[in-house]
Amino acid sequence: MVLATLVERCRNAGLTLWMDVALTRVEAQGSLAAALPGCWRQPHRNGLDPRTDLQRPAAEAAFDDPDGSRRLVAFWAGQLTRWAECGVEGFRCHDAASAPLDVWRDCLAPLRQSQPDVVAWAWLPEATSQERASVADVFDAVSAPVAEGRSVTDLIEHCQALGETQRLIGCPENPFAARRPAAAPVNPERGRQAAMMASAVLADGWLMPMGFEYGLDTPFLHVEPDDVSLDGAETSSGFTAAVRAANEAAAALPQGAERSMRLLAASGPSAIVLRRAGAVARLALLNTDRVNAATLDGRLSAAGLGLAARDAKAIELPPAWGMVLDLGEADPVRGSAPAGPEDRAQLAGARIAIEAVSPAVDGGRFAVKRRAGETVQITADIFSDGHEVLAAELLWRAEDEPEWSRAPMHLRVNDIWEGRFPLLRVGRHLFAIQAWWSEFGTFRRDLAKKREAGLDIALEIREGRLILEHFAQGAALADRDVIEAHLARLGASQAEDAAVLLADALNLAMTRADPRPHATGRDRVYPVEADREAASFSSWYELFPRSITDSPARHGTFRDVIGRLPAVKAMGFDVLYFPPIHPIGKTNRKGRNNTLTPAADDPGSPYAIGSADGGHDAIHPELGSREDFRELVRAAAEHGLEIALDFAIQCSPDHPWLEEHPGWFQWRPDGSMRYAENPPKKYQDIVNVDFYAKDAVPGLWLALRDVVQGWVDEGVRIFRVDNPHTKPFPFWEWLIADIRSRDPGVIFLAEAFTRPKVMYRLGKVGFSQSYTYFTWRNSKAELTEYLTELNEVPARDVFRPHFFVNTPDINPVFLQRSGRPGFLIRAALAATLSGLWGVYSGFELCEAAAIPGKEEYLDSEKYEIKPRDWQAPGNIIAEITRLNRIRRSEPALQSHLGLTFYNAFNDNILYFGKRAGADGDIVLVAVNLDPFNAHEAGIEVPLWDFGLPDHASVAVEDLMRGHRFHWHGKSQSIRLDPRDLPFSIWRLSAPTGSQ
C-alpha cells in the first residue's frame, strides 16, 4: 500500500519511481535473513570498509551455494516483479559486480517477460570499460561517473568508449563514497554544476544524489534526517536553474537504438559533441570551465555534417554549463547554372591550365620590382588533360610599345615551364604566357615512338604530310620555304620519310608556323617595374643644410652645402638627402630639445612646413634663393651626387593652405585645429591635411602632385616620404603612377616604421624602397630571421629595404652604449646586407649623446643649428669610405637578394655570403656583433658553391685590408676584435670552370 501510494504521488508530480536493489547484503538480524535461512554467510573483510555500519551486523548472500542461490534468485525474481506491478519503472542494481551475472540474469528474467519496459541498470562506479561492456546483455544501462577530474576531451572519449555497448547513466558524484567537499577550491557550486552538466549532456540519463543540490558533504549512507531538511536547506536560484537546464538538455538528447557520440570541436574546457540515435541528431554543447564563459558556434559544426542548427548564431555558454541544440536538414547553396557548352574554341582552350605564374604580385594586381638591365626569370605550371604535347611562349613588351616580343618557354620538370626576358628600358613592362596544343609536336613524338618500335608508319607519314601542308598555308615566307622543301623530300622509304618529318630544322619552322587554334593565356597580363640603378643600389648621406656652417649663430645655406659636396662624395655616397627645405612656421614653434618655449633665435623644426613665405613649393629664405638651389643641384650632379628631398605632407598652423583651402582640413567644433599626434609623441607645431575632407578630392590630391612635379622639374628625382603609412594607399598609388608616367626614373623612399604588411603594401602601390626594422635588429638570430624574410616572397618582389643606421628621429640604443666599435658594426651590417644604406650626419663622428631613456638625440638637430668638426678624433670616415668603395666594386653587394647565411660556430658572429650570378665570385662577410669583446669562431667556407670538394683550396682577398691568401679546406677559424676592426670582408675568386 505504501509503495503504491508513493508511485501515485510520483506520477501526479510528473515523475517515475525507481528503486535501489542490493542483492548481496542484508542486515544479519533482519526479517529477510530470517525468512531465507541457509542463504547467508558472514561477510569476508579485507580490512575495514569505511562505508560499513559496524553497529548493524550484515550478512552476505551465498550465491556460491547452489541451494541458497536458487532460493535467493526465486525470492528476488518474484520481488522485482511485484514491485514493477506496483508501478516501479526502474531499478538501480547496487554493487552489480558483487553478484554473478547469471544470478542477475535469472533474477531479471521474469521481469523482462512481464514488464519489458522496466529498466534495470548496473551500478559499477569503479569498474573498467571492459567490465562495463561485459554486462551489456544483462542490464539496460550502466553507471558512468563523469566527474573524475578529466579534461573535457578525455571525458568525452571516456563516455564515448563506455557508450559503444551500453546506455549510460551519468553520475556527477558517487553518493556512497566520500562526497565533493563543501569547501572546494574556486567555486564549489560551479564544480558541482560542471559535473552535473557533463553527466546530463554526455550520458543517456543522469542521477543526482540526494543533497547534491545543497552541497551536502555527508556520505549518502551516513545521512541522518536532520542532515537534509527541506525546510532549512539552501540552494541558490542559479543552481536551481542549472538543474532545470541540465534536465532540459538531457530530455532533448535523441533516444533509441544505434546511439553514437562524436567529438566535433574542442577548445580548452569547452566542446561540441554530436549525439545520434538512429536518424535523429543533436549537438551537445558543454563548457566545464568554472570561471570563464565560452563562445561555441554550433552552426559551423552542423554545417560540416551537412546539417543546420536550429539556433542560427554563436552561443556564449556560461561557466559550468551545457545545452543541446536541435539539428535539421541544411538548405545547400544552389549556384546559377553555367552557360551551355556552345563555344567550342573557348571550351577547348580551357583544357589548358596556366597556374603559379612567378614572379607575380597578387595575381598581377601590382608590379614586380626589378632593375633595368636585369633578365626576368619567369616560371609557370602549364598542363592539360590528355596526352597531347604542349607548347608555350613568353610574351613581353614595354608598356608604351605596341607589339609583343616573343620567346619559347621550356618544360623544366613536373609541368613547370620557364622562360626569360630582358629589361632594356626604365619603366613599366608587361608579360604574358600563351600555351597551346602542339599538333605537330604530338605527331612528332608519336612518330618517333612507332618508328623505334618497328611499326608500319605509312599512315602516319600521310598524316604528317597533311599537317605540313596545313601549317604551310599560314606560315611566314621563310618558314613556308622550309616546310615545302621537306614536303618535296617525302615519298621515298618509310625510314627516309620518318627522318624528314623528324628533322630539327622542320620542327623549328613548324613551331613558328603553328596556327595555335586553341591558344590560351595571352589575356592575363603581369606587370614588372624596371627601375634605374639608384632604386636598388645607392648610398645615402643625410644632412641639415642649415647646419653646414661654422657657427650656431649663422644659418647655413645651399652655397655652404656646395662646399661640403667633395667630402660627401669622397666618403663614397651618391645620394645627398635633405630634411624639408621649406619655410618654417612660427606658431607653436618648437625650441631646443623639443621644448614648447623657444628662444627668439631658435630656428624651429623643418617639419613644421609653411609660413608667410610659402608652403611646400617654396624654399626657406635663410637657405638661399631658388637659383641657389638650382646651382646646388647642378654642382651635386658634377660630383656624382643626386639630391633627395623630404616630402612631408603636414603643415604648420601658418601654412598658406589653411587660409586658402580650409576645406582640406578637419576643424574641431570650437573652430580650432587638431594638432598632429603619434602617441605618446605630440607635434603641436604641425597639423595634418584630411585626404577625404569635403574639398580635398581632387583639389588637395592635385596640389600635392603639383608639389612633387615642381621639384622634379627642378631636377630632383628622389623623394624620401615622411610617414606615408598614415596617408591613403589610393593616393600614393595614383600620385606615384602619375609622376612616373612622365619620368619613370623618379624614386620614392617610404619612411614607414609600421607593421610589415602595411610596409609591403606601400611597396606594392609604388614606393621604390623603404626604411626597415634593421634599426632594431641586433642579434644574430634577429638579423638572420629578418633578412631571410626579406629574401623570400612576397617581400623580395615588392620591398627594397633601405638600411639607415640612424636618423634625426632615431638614436638607436645600441649606438648609445657601444662606442666606436658599435658604429663600425652597424655600418658594416648595413653596407653589406642591403644594396641601399644611409647615414645621418654625425654618424661618421660616432655621435651618440641621447636623452636618457629615449631613442632620441640630446640637443637634436631638428630644433637647432649644429655645426660640426668633420675631422674630430675617433671618426670612422676611412672605414665608411672603404665600405662604399667595396660596395661599388662588388656587384654581389649591390642588392639585399642573393644572400646566404653560413655556419659560424659562435652566436656573437654573423657570417654570410653573396654571389652575383651563378658563376661569379663570392663575397663573404663576418661581423662580431659584440662591441666590447673579441670573439673567435670556426667557419665553413662554401667551397660547395664552386663545385669544389671540402679539401679544396680557394684564393681569398681581404677587401678591407688588401691582403691576399688561400684557404685550404672548408673549415677555417677567424678572430674579430672590436678594438681593431669588428668585421671582415673577403672575396673568394671563382676557380676556372666552377659552377
Side-chain angles (χ1 to χ4, degrees):
M1 181 64 72
V2 173
L3 182 58
T5 301
L6 185 57
V7 167
E8 182 180 1
R9 290 185 177 181
C10 284
R11 289 175 176 171
N12 292 339
L15 301 172
T16 60
L17 179 64
W18 288 23
M19 291 181 61
D20 267 357
V21 176
L23 301 188
T24 58
R25 299 171 71 88
V26 295
E27 186 177 348
Q29 305 301 322
S31 58
L32 182 55
L36 296 171
C39 295
W40 314 97
R41 63 163 55 91
Q42 290 294 320
H44 176 72
R45 294 193 181 95
N46 291 317
L48 293 177
D49 186 340
R51 297 170 294 182
T52 302
D53 186 351
L54 297 179
Q55 295 180 350
R56 304 172 70 180
E60 191 173 86
F63 287 119
D64 56 347
D65 177 77
D67 181 64
S69 178
R70 178 184 55 76
R71 294 168 60 204
L72 284 170
V73 166
F75 169 78
W76 282 115
Q79 187 65 53
L80 292 175
T81 300
R82 287 189 292 274
W83 283 338
E85 290 171 349
C86 289
V88 175
E89 298 185 27
F91 297 99
R92 185 186 71 88
C93 301
H94 184 69
D95 203 8
S98 62
L101 282 179
D102 289 343
V103 169
W104 283 110
R105 183 180 290 105
D106 294 343
C107 291
L108 294 170
L111 179 66
R112 300 293 192 201
Q113 293 180 357
S114 63
Q115 304 284 340
D117 293 332
V118 174
V119 175
W121 62 284
W123 179 255
L124 297 169
E126 298 177 359
T128 65
S129 298
Q130 292 80 5
E131 290 171 336
R132 287 185 170 91
S134 67
V135 304
D137 61 342
V138 176
F139 296 100
D140 301 297
V142 65
S143 60
V146 297
E148 298 181 0
R150 291 182 169 92
S151 69
V152 69
T153 52
D154 285 346
L155 194 60
I156 293 167
E157 290 176 3
H158 174 70
C159 290
Q160 185 176 12
L162 295 179
E164 289 178 352
T165 56
Q166 278 278 28
R167 292 175 63 187
L168 304 179
I169 304 297
C171 303
E173 184 176 78
N174 183 347
F176 303 100
R179 306 187 76 171
R180 185 179 301 276
V186 183
N187 185 326
E189 184 172 282
R190 287 274 178 83
R192 300 197 311 275
Q193 183 174 308
M196 175 182 67
M197 287 296 181
S199 299
V201 304
L202 297 181
D204 301 295
W206 72 288
L207 171 70
M208 184 173 77
M210 181 178 66
F212 177 83
E213 67 272 38
Y214 306 115
L216 187 70
D217 58 359
T218 305
F220 191 77
L221 291 179
H222 297 272
V223 175
E224 298 294 334
D226 292 340
D227 291 335
V228 182
S229 172
L230 294 180
D231 294 333
E234 294 183 5
T235 183
S236 70
S237 59
F239 197 83
T240 299
V243 173
R244 187 176 295 110
N247 282 324
E248 291 173 353
L253 290 172
Q255 302 296 326
E258 300 182 7
R259 300 177 319 283
S260 66
M261 177 188 303
R262 174 183 164 194
L263 175 63
L264 298 180
S267 177
S270 61
I272 299 177
V273 179
L274 175 67
R275 299 292 308 273
R276 279 189 181 276
V280 182
R282 301 284 189 272
L283 286 185
L285 279 57
L286 178 63
N287 177 21
T288 60
D289 193 311
R290 302 182 185 184
V291 177
N292 302 300
T295 300
L296 299 178
D297 196 340
R299 298 171 302 174
L300 298 178
S301 297
L305 302 169
L307 300 172
R310 304 293 189 195
D311 198 336
K313 65 179 185 298
I315 295 173
E316 185 171 282
L317 211 58
W321 202 263
M323 65 184 304
V324 174
L325 299 181
D326 287 345
L327 292 178
E329 292 297 322
D331 186 18
V333 178
R334 294 172 174 83
S336 56
E342 299 166 355
D343 188 336
R344 184 175 181 276
Q346 188 275 332
L347 293 171
R351 294 175 59 193
I352 301 175
I354 303 176
E355 301 177 348
V357 176
S358 175
V361 179
D362 293 352
R365 164 67 175 86
F366 299 104
V368 171
K369 293 189 189 307
R370 291 294 187 269
R371 185 198 296 185
E374 293 181 348
T375 297
V376 184
Q377 181 82 19
I378 305 297
T379 62
D381 296 346
I382 304 176
F383 54 93
S384 75
D385 57 75
H387 299 287
E388 289 84 356
V389 172
L390 294 180
E393 192 172 63
L394 178 63
L395 295 77
W396 76 92
R397 63 179 175 88
E399 192 173 43
D400 60 356
E401 295 174 350
E403 300 297 328
W404 291 97
S405 297
R406 300 170 179 269
M409 297 185 73
H410 303 284
L411 177 62
R412 189 171 68 192
V413 65
N414 194 27
D415 292 325
I416 300 174
W417 292 65
E418 63 182 8
R420 62 188 64 196
F421 70 93
L423 298 173
L424 302 179
R425 300 167 60 197
V426 171
R428 180 66 60 94
H429 290 66
L430 306 172
F431 76 88
I433 295 172
Q434 191 172 48
W436 63 95
W437 285 294
S438 174
E439 182 181 3
F440 183 70
T442 303
F443 164 79
R444 192 170 184 266
R445 178 199 63 190
D446 295 345
L447 177 64
K449 289 182 178 180
K450 292 176 181 179
R451 183 186 65 168
E452 292 171 4
L455 301 179
D456 183 354
I457 55 174
L459 183 58
E460 281 72 15
I461 291 173
R462 291 177 58 189
E463 291 173 345
R465 178 186 291 275
L466 293 175
I467 295 173
L468 265 62
E469 291 173 347
H470 173 57
F471 278 32
Q473 295 174 9
L477 180 59
D479 291 329
R480 184 165 65 245
D481 290 344
V482 173
I483 297 171
E484 290 177 346
H486 284 74
L487 278 168
R489 292 166 56 192
L490 294 176
S493 67
Q494 288 191 12
E496 292 174 330
D497 287 351
V500 169
L501 291 171
L502 295 174
D504 290 339
L506 176 63
N507 184 45
L508 291 174
M510 292 290 284
T511 298
R512 290 189 293 267
D514 194 326
R516 309 174 187 179
H518 305 305
T520 186
R522 179 174 172 172
D523 56 340
R524 185 67 180 271
V525 177
Y526 300 87
V528 177
E529 195 70 43
D531 288 311
R532 62 189 178 100
E533 181 185 60
S536 59
F537 173 60
S538 57
S539 303
W540 287 41
Y541 186 85
E542 177 180 4
L543 62 77
F544 284 75
R546 71 188 184 188
S547 289
I548 307 305
T549 177
D550 53 5
S551 169
R554 185 181 72 82
H555 197 288
T557 66
F558 290 141
R559 294 195 176 274
D560 291 320
V561 175
I562 292 175
R564 181 72 183 146
L565 295 179
V568 174
K569 183 59 181 178
M571 285 188 286
F573 294 102
D574 41 45
V575 175
L576 180 59
Y577 154 53
F578 302 148
I581 60 172
H582 315 299
I584 299 173
K586 294 184 177 180
T587 300
N588 297 335
R589 175 174 286 191
K590 293 294 185 73
R592 297 188 178 202
N593 286 312
N594 200 22
T595 63
L596 301 178
T597 55
D601 59 347
D602 282 345
S605 167
Y607 288 91
I609 299 170
S611 73
D613 296 310
H616 287 75
D617 54 356
I619 293 173
H620 188 61
E622 292 182 86
L623 289 173
S625 66
R626 187 165 292 271
E627 186 53 43
D628 291 337
F629 178 77
R630 291 168 180 162
E631 179 60 28
L632 171 59
V633 173
R634 287 192 293 268
E638 291 173 0
H639 285 84
L641 289 164
E642 279 198 73
I643 298 298
L645 290 186
D646 202 312
F647 183 39
I649 305 179
Q650 55 206 36
C651 303
S652 86
D654 304 325
H655 198 292
W657 283 352
L658 273 81
E659 290 189 4
E660 296 172 0
H661 304 286
W664 292 358
F665 300 86
Q666 279 194 350
W667 299 86
R668 287 182 161 183
D670 63 358
S672 65
M673 292 295 300
R674 182 184 300 276
Y675 297 116
E677 292 183 346
N678 183 16
K681 294 181 179 180
K682 293 185 178 182
Y683 306 96
Q684 296 89 343
D685 55 342
I686 60 174
V687 296
N688 289 321
V689 298
D690 181 355
F691 284 83
Y692 294 97
K694 62 176 183 176
D695 297 334
V697 181
L700 171 63
W701 294 41
L702 293 172
L704 291 169
R705 186 276 314 273
D706 292 345
V707 166
V708 177
Q709 186 62 53
W711 292 111
V712 172
D713 294 343
E714 293 290 354
V716 177
R717 303 179 74 213
I718 303 178
F719 295 89
R720 179 267 197 191
V721 180
D722 192 66
N723 288 321
H725 57 291
T726 62
K727 286 78 179 175
F729 292 139
F731 168 75
W732 291 123
E733 187 170 9
W734 167 78
L735 180 140
I736 293 172
D738 182 275
I739 295 296
R740 290 176 64 104
S741 70
R742 289 176 292 279
D743 184 353
V746 177
I747 293 169
F748 292 88
L749 164 63
E751 187 259 349
F753 297 107
T754 183
R755 303 181 304 282
K757 288 182 175 59
V758 176
M759 298 168 76
Y760 297 161
R761 182 73 177 195
L762 290 170
K764 292 177 182 180
V765 301
F767 278 90
S768 316
Q769 47 190 242
S770 176
Y771 284 66
T772 69
Y773 299 125
F774 167 76
T775 311
W776 300 278
R777 300 295 185 266
N778 297 307
S779 72
K780 184 174 183 175
E782 291 170 344
L783 289 163
T784 301
E785 180 182 12
Y786 189 46
L787 267 297
T788 299
E789 175 187 337
L790 297 182
N791 271 262
E792 297 174 343
V793 292
R796 64 172 292 129
D797 288 332
V798 298
F799 186 82
R800 294 194 187 103
H802 199 311
F803 285 179
F804 257 88
V805 289
N806 66 332
T807 76
D809 295 303
I810 303 172
N811 180 8
V813 173
F814 183 87
L815 296 180
Q816 294 177 24
R817 63 191 183 193
S818 59
R820 187 176 187 273
F823 283 77
L824 289 172
I825 290 169
R826 297 303 289 179
L829 290 171
T832 58
L833 284 170
S834 178
L836 300 162
W837 85 298
V839 307
Y840 156 55
S841 56
F843 179 85
E844 69 270 41
L845 305 178
C846 301
E847 291 180 356
I851 296 175
K854 295 185 177 181
E855 286 189 328
E856 296 182 26
Y857 284 98
L858 184 66
D859 302 325
S860 170
E861 196 172 0
K862 290 192 299 181
Y863 309 106
E864 62 181 82
I865 296 171
K866 194 169 187 176
R868 291 179 171 88
D869 175 4
W870 299 109
Q871 299 300 322
N875 69 72
I876 60 170
I877 293 174
E879 289 82 357
I880 289 175
T881 302
R882 184 63 182 164
L883 282 169
N884 278 330
R885 185 173 296 123
I886 293 171
R887 281 164 51 84
R888 179 61 62 181
S889 63
E890 297 296 335
L893 297 180
Q894 295 172 11
S895 170
H896 68 288
L897 302 175
L899 172 68
T900 302
F901 289 100
Y902 296 116
N903 284 330
F905 301 101
N906 185 327
D907 286 342
N908 291 289
I909 293 181
L910 184 71
Y911 173 53
F912 57 91
K914 292 183 175 181
R915 191 178 192 184
D919 56 358
D921 295 342
I922 295 176
V923 177
L924 295 178
V925 181
V927 184
N928 179 0
L929 302 176
D930 181 352
F932 306 108
N933 303 291
H935 286 278
E936 298 179 353
I939 63 171
E940 292 183 341
V941 181
L943 299 175
W944 56 87
D945 286 339
F946 290 135
L948 297 175
D950 290 351
H951 61 273
S953 297
V954 65
V956 184
E957 181 180 356
D958 186 326
L959 297 178
M960 285 299 294
R961 304 179 189 273
H963 302 157
R964 295 175 184 269
F965 53 93
H966 281 78
W967 270 332
H968 303 284
K970 78 170 185 178
S971 297
Q972 300 293 327
S973 296
I974 61 172
R975 185 177 190 274
L976 298 173
D977 189 341
R979 291 166 294 186
D980 175 24
L981 190 66
F983 64 92
S984 286
I985 305 174
W986 305 283
R987 179 175 59 224
L988 275 59
S989 298
T992 303
S994 69
Q995 299 179 354

